[in-house]
């Protein structure tokens, strides 16, 4: 049972006096506090510390935690160059990298990024899967790749990652098509369904797709992305999360929680909510701390760290 934290690399919730270099200290403190992983997200539509730059800095500043993306959008980068960057981070971290990928969201959070990347919105999922296949081929030493969208010949020798086969590749998303692709092609699943029951049914569909493809369920890590706020009670937590949602997404909490997993309340109440996802099968929880300012994030990190032992002991073997 792993519990990690999303670093607040986006500047929207920062305070006026916050310093980006505090993120390094934040990552070190999370490792010392017993968190399993440090994740970063990826975008071009709001100012932030670029995802792979952040992970490269953390590779040198930490020793044991998993370093991950939640989620990386490969279409923002040239695919061969991205393979080298990811292999480099895996090397520098001693094999601690995990890469969750996504194809972007419809609407203002996704389509403008394709315009900036000069790539078509159409066939974005096929492009994503081919990019992942290309990365794996390059990490295994391939000198050519011939897909339907991506085609390369005479590829020079590329950087090989720390681990044979490269870092684990997880998929974000919970549509029926995404579940089928996660089961067939990916090493893990990192969704954010608002209802634990939807998590359980999605994981069941992934396991079925994996079995149909001749894969074992153990080959796929079931993870969860969740926004959390530990407060005095649910009402005060919701008020704080509403401020966070407006600053980060420009939408109120009541809209955000329709599309993303959000938990708040006292420590016991948050533990109960997270336990419901653990009971549904989640085995690696990535928590986004719902508060404004890096100093407040540090306080929430302390509160989350206090819950880690209890969340881990709530783990019961999941039935397939």
């Amino acid at each position: 049972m792993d519990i990690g934290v999303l670093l607040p690399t986006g500047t929207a919730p920062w305070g006026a006096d916050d310093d980006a270099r505090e993120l390094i200290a934040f990552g070190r403190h999370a490792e010392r506090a017993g968190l399993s992983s440090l994740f970063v997200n990826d975008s071009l539509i709001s100012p932030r510390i670029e995802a792979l730059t952040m992970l490269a800095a953390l590779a040198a500043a930490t020793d044991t935690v998993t370093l991950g993306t939640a989620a990386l959008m490969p279409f923002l980068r040239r695919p061969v160059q991205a393979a080298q960057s990811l292999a480099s981070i895996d090397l520098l971290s001693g094999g601690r990298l995990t890469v969750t990928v996504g194809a972007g969201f419809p609407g203002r959070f996704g389509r403008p990024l394709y315009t900036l990347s000069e790539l078509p919105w159409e066939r974005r999922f096929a492009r994503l899967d081919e990019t992942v296949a290309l990365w794996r081929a390059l990490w295994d030493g391939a000198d050519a790749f011939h897909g339907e969208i991506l085609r390369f010949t005479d590829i020079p020798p590329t950087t090989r990652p720390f681990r044979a086969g490269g870092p684990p590749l997880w998929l974000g998303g919970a549509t029926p098509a995404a579940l089928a692709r996660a089961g067939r092609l990916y090493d893990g699943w990192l969704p954010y369904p608002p209802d634990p029951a939807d998590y359980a049914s999605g994981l069941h569909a992934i396991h079925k797709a994996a079995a149909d493809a001749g894969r074992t369920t153990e080959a796929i890590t079931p993870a969860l992305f969740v926004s959390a706020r530990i407060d005095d009670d649910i009402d005060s937590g919701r008020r704080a999360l509403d401020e966070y949602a407006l600053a980060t997404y420009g939408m109120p909490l009541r809209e955000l929680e329709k599309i993303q997993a959000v938990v708040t309340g006292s420590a016991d109440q948050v533990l109960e909510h997270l336990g419901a996802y653990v009971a549904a099968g989640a085995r690696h929880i990535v928590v986004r701390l719902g508060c404004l300012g890096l100093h407040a994030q540090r306080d929430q990190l302390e509160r989350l760290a206090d819950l880690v032992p209890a969340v881990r002991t709530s783990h019961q073997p999941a039935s397939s």
Side-chain angles (χ1 to χ4, degrees):
M1 187 72 216
D2 290 305
I3 305 167
V5 65
L6 182 83
L7 270 73
T9 54
T11 62
W14 291 9
D17 298 326
D18 285 337
D19 185 331
R21 290 169 292 186
E22 295 177 34
L23 295 170
I24 302 295
F26 185 95
R28 287 197 193 104
H29 185 74
E31 181 176 58
R32 290 195 299 268
L35 277 295
S36 302
S37 57
L38 301 172
F39 277 73
V40 298
N41 56 16
D42 192 24
S43 182
L44 288 179
I45 62 174
S46 60
R48 68 189 56 244
I49 303 301
E50 192 273 329
L52 301 187
T53 304
M54 188 76 249
L55 293 183
L58 291 169
T62 59
D63 297 310
T64 61
V65 287
T66 294
L67 304 176
T69 60
L72 191 76
M73 290 181 279
F75 65 87
L76 298 180
R77 299 162 180 85
R78 297 292 186 183
V80 174
Q81 186 273 335
Q84 176 166 300
S85 295
L86 293 168
S88 298
I89 294 170
D90 197 52
L91 280 169
L92 292 170
S93 66
R96 292 187 284 129
L97 181 63
T98 291
V99 184
T100 308
V101 296
F105 304 98
R108 66 187 177 94
F109 293 114
R111 293 186 74 110
L113 299 180
Y114 279 83
T115 300
L116 290 170
S117 299
E118 300 179 296
L119 290 174
W121 176 255
E122 294 73 24
R123 301 201 69 195
R124 59 193 182 279
F125 300 113
R127 180 182 296 276
L128 176 65
D129 292 344
E130 277 202 9
T131 300
V132 166
L134 168 66
W135 290 349
R136 285 172 168 157
L138 294 177
W139 293 336
D140 282 338
D143 59 5
F145 183 87
H146 300 288
E148 294 183 16
I149 298 173
L150 303 177
R151 302 182 65 84
F152 298 95
T153 57
D154 299 324
I155 302 173
T158 56
T159 304
R160 303 290 286 272
F162 184 85
R163 290 163 289 183
L169 291 159
W170 296 0
L171 182 66
T175 65
L179 299 175
R181 290 162 50 235
R184 294 195 318 268
L185 303 172
Y186 287 83
D187 306 309
W189 179 50
L190 183 64
Y192 43 75
D195 188 340
D198 290 334
Y199 188 94
S201 62
L203 187 57
H204 178 77
I206 286 174
H207 286 172
K208 182 181 185 305
D212 291 345
R215 305 179 70 203
T216 65
T217 58
E218 290 78 13
I220 303 165
T221 299
L224 170 74
F225 183 90
V226 57
S227 296
R229 167 86 187 200
I230 303 171
D231 218 308
D232 296 333
D233 52 45
I234 289 178
D235 289 339
S236 59
R238 287 186 62 81
R239 286 192 296 271
L241 275 174
D242 189 58
E243 294 179 2
Y244 179 82
L246 287 169
T248 304
Y249 287 103
M251 69 173 65
L253 176 61
R254 66 177 182 275
E255 296 298 326
L256 180 64
E257 64 188 352
K258 292 177 183 177
I259 56 176
Q260 291 190 10
V262 178
V263 300
T264 190
S266 68
D268 287 342
Q269 289 168 323
V270 170
L271 179 61
E272 180 181 0
H273 290 314
L274 293 179
Y277 284 100
V278 174
R283 295 294 176 264
H284 193 139
I285 299 175
V286 180
V287 178
R288 177 171 57 181
L289 303 170
C291 57
L292 301 177
L294 296 184
H295 294 293
Q297 288 265 339
R298 181 74 168 258
D299 176 69
Q300 281 292 307
L301 176 64
E302 297 281 359
R303 298 187 185 199
L304 175 65
D306 288 341
L307 288 187
V308 166
V311 175
R312 286 180 173 151
T313 58
S314 72
H315 170 204
Q316 297 295 328
S319 58
S320 299

